[in-house]
């Protein structure tokens, strides 16, 4: 199973602050995803990214969220102005081909105070 | 719209007993189905997957699942549960086509407790 790493493992921030969550890529993976899981709830899709473009985004992924893969390096999720309800575990997932398994990272626990 | 239903929120079994976790899905095209396991505070580990072919798929840790198209189900089974299997289990459905990233839709999960 391809290793997927995410940094940081835990981020604590004040409401209204910007946070950037990072997912370390594997060069031959083309498809990237962000999901989140609020404590005690199910995993929810946020956004998918293919060929350096957003493929699909959910209703959760509003203007406060953005993703990018600058210079083909880390795949990042930015939250511009965090809210209390953004507190959750955020998972990055990567997929090598169109019909393939999504492998998840260990997650970043975001706590907004 | 795609969806997954896991009707059992919490299941308790004795160590050594058999296990079946239920999963029903709704998907407009040919579904790709997955079971992931999550230990407390941990990420999601893939147990097994179904893309096509044999409807009975084998996974890690002795788990298997059977795809039944007529019932829109993909139930997870294990003949003899170990105490280390205690965790949260998520069923997920997705699709796939070249050039398009395809999201996974997860069920609400089933928490498995194993008694000694």
């Amino acid at each position: 199973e391809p290793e997927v790493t995410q940094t940081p493992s835990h981020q604590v921030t004040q409401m209204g602050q910007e946070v950037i969550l990072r997912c370390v890529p594997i060069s031959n993976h083309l498809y990237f995803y962000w999901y989140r899981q609020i404590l005690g709830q199910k995993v929810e899709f946020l956004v998918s990214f293919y060929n350096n473009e957003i493929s699909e985004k959910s209703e959760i992924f509003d203007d406060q969220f953005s993703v990018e893969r600058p210079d083909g390096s880390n795949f990042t999720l930015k939250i511009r102005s965090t809210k209390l309800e953004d507190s959750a575990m955020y998972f990055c997932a990567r997929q090598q081909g169109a019909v393939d398994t999504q492998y998840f990272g260990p997650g970043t626990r975001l706590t907004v105070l | 719209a795609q969806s997954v239903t896991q009707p059992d929120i919490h299941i308790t079994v004795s160590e050594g007993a058999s296990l079946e976790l239920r999963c029903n899905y709704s998907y407009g095209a040919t579904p790709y189905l997955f079971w992931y396991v999550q230990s407390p505070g941990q990420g999601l580990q893939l147990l097994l997957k179904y893309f096509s072919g044999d409807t009975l798929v084998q996974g890690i840790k002795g788990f298997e699942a059977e795809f039944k198209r007529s019932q829109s189900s993909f139930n997870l089974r294990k003949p003899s549960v170990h105490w280390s299997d205690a965790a949260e289990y998520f069923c997920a459905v997705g699709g796939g086509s070249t050039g398009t990233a395809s999201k996974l839709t997860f069920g609400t999960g089933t928490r498995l407790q194993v008694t000694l």
Side-chain angles (χ1 to χ4, degrees):
Chain A
E1 183 171 317
E3 182 179 337
V4 181
T5 58
Q6 292 183 238
T7 59
S9 58
H10 191 187
Q11 174 100 38
V12 180
T13 189
Q14 296 292 324
M15 189 170 55
Q17 296 297 303
E18 174 183 286
V19 296
I20 297 176
L21 312 181
R22 291 182 173 82
C23 179
V24 180
I26 295 176
S27 60
N28 62 346
H29 281 61
L30 301 177
Y31 302 85
F32 299 90
Y33 304 81
W34 283 102
Y35 294 82
R36 79 172 185 188
Q37 184 183 32
I38 295 172
L39 186 63
Q41 298 186 23
K42 70 176 181 179
V43 179
E44 302 174 288
F45 167 76
L46 290 177
V47 65
S48 58
F49 194 80
Y50 168 71
N51 200 25
N52 291 320
E53 292 182 342
I54 290 176
S55 291
E56 184 180 359
K57 53 186 180 181
S58 70
E59 294 176 351
I60 304 168
F61 195 88
D62 60 22
D63 292 343
Q64 293 299 312
F65 291 87
S66 63
V67 290
E68 63 177 4
R69 194 180 177 203
D71 303 320
S73 60
N74 294 351
F75 179 51
T76 63
L77 174 69
K78 181 191 292 185
I79 309 175
R80 291 188 181 83
S81 179
T82 50
K83 305 170 189 171
L84 295 176
E85 54 264 38
D86 293 328
S87 294
M89 184 76 93
Y90 288 81
F91 293 107
C92 166
R94 296 180 293 185
Q95 180 178 332
Q96 184 170 0
V99 181
D100 203 350
T101 300
Q102 289 184 30
Y103 293 99
F104 285 76
T108 293
R109 180 168 298 283
L110 175 65
T111 302
V112 182
L113 302 176
Chain B
Q2 57 198 67
S3 66
V4 175
T5 301
Q6 293 180 248
D8 303 306
I9 297 172
H10 189 190
I11 284 182
T12 300
V13 299
S14 300
E15 188 175 39
S18 64
L19 172 70
E20 182 170 28
L21 303 183
R22 295 182 290 166
C23 172
N24 292 96
Y25 69 89
S26 174
Y27 193 76
T30 301
Y32 301 136
L33 295 156
F34 307 85
W35 276 98
Y36 288 87
V37 61
Q38 184 182 38
S39 297
Q42 301 299 309
L44 296 162
Q45 181 183 23
L46 178 72
L47 281 178
L48 47 76
K49 62 190 177 187
Y50 172 79
F51 288 151
S52 65
D54 193 345
T55 57
L56 183 64
V57 294
Q58 303 296 320
I60 62 171
K61 304 183 180 184
F63 285 93
E64 67 177 25
E66 186 171 11
F67 170 57
K68 293 185 177 180
R69 185 185 297 275
S70 62
Q71 298 178 19
S72 297
S73 69
F74 189 57
N75 294 347
L76 181 71
R77 300 193 293 251
K78 187 170 183 178
S80 178
V81 170
H82 188 262
W83 64 266
S84 60
D85 294 326
E88 186 98 19
Y89 291 80
F90 291 96
C91 179
V93 67
S97 58
T98 302
T100 303
S102 181
K103 67 182 180 186
L104 293 180
T105 297
F106 285 81
T108 51
T110 297
R111 180 167 298 279
L112 174 65
Q113 184 175 357
V114 181
T115 58
L116 300 176

